[in-house]
Amino acid sequence: MIQVHKIEPVVQEEVTGCGIATVANIVGKSYAEMKQIANAMGIFADDKSLWSQTDYVRRLLASQNISVSNEETPFGAWEELPDLALLSIKHYQEEGKDFWHWVVFQRVEGKPFVLDSASYLDSNIRTDFDKMQPKWFIEVG
């Protein structure tokens, strides 16, 4: 089973870098290291399409030999999530297109938490599950 390597979460260094930070959290790299890998693959945080597509996080994880489910699974309940998953939260629409914020859900020794890379948070390890309202998830591992 894959485990997030850092309990000190990686915080995104760009307003739009949540996907890069999420992958960094899963694979145990710094934001700068993951950004360099992403940029070499033609993935840039300021590309607005990244806010509404899942392909780039799948490609980044695959580049680090991490497998993910091929489909997004609708969110039902926190208890139903796998032990490691990418979650989409903060859904909104702009010009008819869906956008969201990426976070990592993890369960360690039965204790669930979310690693949220947003730089404005007081703590990037979240357990305020009622406030996050995920729409769907992608199982990791």
Side-chain angles (χ1 to χ4, degrees):
M1 153 130 173
I2 301 164
Q3 297 230 351
V4 172
H5 297 277
K6 297 182 180 196
I7 296 301
E8 254 331 291
V10 173
V11 176
Q12 62 195 68
E13 296 176 8
E14 298 161 280
V15 173
T16 55
C18 61
I20 292 170
T22 297
V23 173
N25 273 313
I26 291 171
V27 302
K29 294 190 183 300
S30 70
Y31 186 86
E33 289 170 316
M34 205 65 241
K35 179 181 175 179
Q36 186 175 21
I37 292 166
N39 291 174
M41 295 173 65
I43 299 169
F44 299 92
D46 61 357
D47 179 352
K48 270 195 160 188
S49 70
L50 301 186
W51 309 347
S52 63
Q53 295 177 3
T54 62
D55 180 58
Y56 79 100
V57 290
R58 293 176 196 276
R59 287 181 31 231
L60 274 174
L61 286 164
S63 78
Q64 302 301 299
N65 298 313
I66 306 291
S67 63
V68 296
S69 60
N70 292 326
E71 310 237 337
E72 294 83 47
T73 304
F75 178 82
W78 291 99
E79 303 77 36
E80 297 169 2
L81 288 172
D83 288 340
L84 186 57
L86 294 169
L87 283 179
S88 65
I89 64 171
K90 297 185 183 177
H91 278 258
Y92 66 97
Q93 279 202 338
E94 193 175 286
E95 297 176 9
K97 203 171 213 174
D98 290 319
F99 293 91
W100 59 83
H101 174 64
W102 287 112
V103 295
V104 176
F105 173 84
Q106 187 178 14
R107 193 178 289 111
V108 175
E109 296 175 2
K111 294 184 174 106
F113 59 91
V114 167
L115 297 175
D116 188 333
S117 63
S119 60
Y120 57 81
L121 294 170
D122 291 334
S123 173
N124 297 96
I125 300 174
R126 297 181 63 180
T127 56
D128 57 338
F129 301 113
D130 57 327
K131 292 183 180 172
M132 288 184 260
Q133 303 177 336
K135 191 166 186 178
W136 45 261
F137 67 91
I138 298 173
E139 186 170 358
V140 178

